[in-house]
Amino acid sequence: MKAFAPGQRWTYRTRPGEETSTLLVLGRDQSAAGQVAVSIRIEDITLRPPIGGVVTDLMHAPIEETALEQSVTELLQEGLPLPGDLGSYEDWRLAFEKGDAGAFDLPLADTLDLIDRAAEHQPPSLEHPLFRKANVRIIASFGDEEEEPQPVRGQGRGGRPEAPFSAWRPHTVLN
């Protein structure tokens, strides 16, 4: 398998109904403890955050390299330009290098299932694999609004080390 590098677009083993989804590699980083994580942007997915709407792009999600290797199926493109706003990735990277942040260790489709479940007002416990990273804090409860979902494409909260919820507004924060 080709090594992960920024600007690569890959297909992966998706969830049902998201077969056109791809991921873009933002960076590959190593912690002080030797853990290797790949930061990705996931496009063309369907997540329903508790605030309503539909999230179609997850702007930043760090995943352990071994879990990502198990998830990807085909390298589609290389050398693509990275998005202009990498604030949440850069903040996470600095914390990760010091050992103050982590990465998901589940295959990508499983991680997205867990995120989606949390978004549907059924958050997993903090013991769940979804939260296998340092400094997890839930600072607000999930809302109970029953609104018609509206598309929300590419809305990050830039500059805050919030993975994987960096594309959501402030109901849940993972630092």
Side-chain angles (χ1 to χ4, degrees):
M1 168 179 280
K2 187 164 186 121
F4 293 113
Q8 292 175 335
R9 180 171 310 283
W10 291 82
T11 58
Y12 66 96
R13 288 176 188 83
T14 62
R15 301 183 304 167
E18 296 178 340
E19 290 80 8
T20 60
S21 178
T22 60
L23 64 89
L24 176 67
V25 176
L26 303 175
R28 181 182 178 277
D29 301 286
Q30 187 167 346
S31 72
Q35 179 188 22
V36 178
V38 180
S39 286
I40 58 175
R41 173 182 170 147
I42 309 164
E43 300 172 343
D44 201 15
I45 56 174
T46 302
L47 298 175
R48 298 187 187 280
I51 59 163
V54 174
V55 174
T56 57
D57 292 345
L58 193 57
M59 305 308 279
H60 174 241
I63 184 169
E64 287 186 3
E65 187 172 51
T66 54
L68 190 58
E69 288 171 348
Q70 295 170 10
S71 300
V72 296
T73 55
E74 181 182 359
L75 175 61
L76 297 176
Q77 297 173 288
E78 294 183 81
L80 295 172
L82 297 180
D85 180 13
L86 294 176
S88 63
Y89 163 61
E90 290 298 329
D91 289 342
W92 170 87
R93 183 182 60 78
L94 293 172
F96 180 71
E97 288 173 352
K98 293 188 287 185
D100 292 336
F104 298 108
D105 60 0
L106 299 172
L108 189 51
D110 293 342
T111 299
L112 289 172
D113 278 341
L114 292 170
I115 294 168
D116 214 16
R117 188 172 138 218
E120 292 176 349
H121 315 291
Q122 300 171 26
S125 76
L126 294 180
E127 302 302 315
H128 199 282
L130 173 62
F131 295 108
R132 282 191 191 146
K133 61 186 301 262
N135 304 321
V136 176
R137 283 188 302 130
I138 296 180
I139 63 169
S141 64
F142 291 92
D144 292 329
E145 301 92 24
E146 294 291 330
E147 297 178 13
E148 180 66 29
Q150 299 298 315
V152 178
R153 191 179 246 321
Q155 286 194 355
R157 294 187 352 224
R160 293 177 77 174
E162 310 169 273
F165 296 101
S166 59
W168 296 357
R169 293 192 185 121
H171 275 64
T172 302
V173 175
L174 303 176
N175 313 359

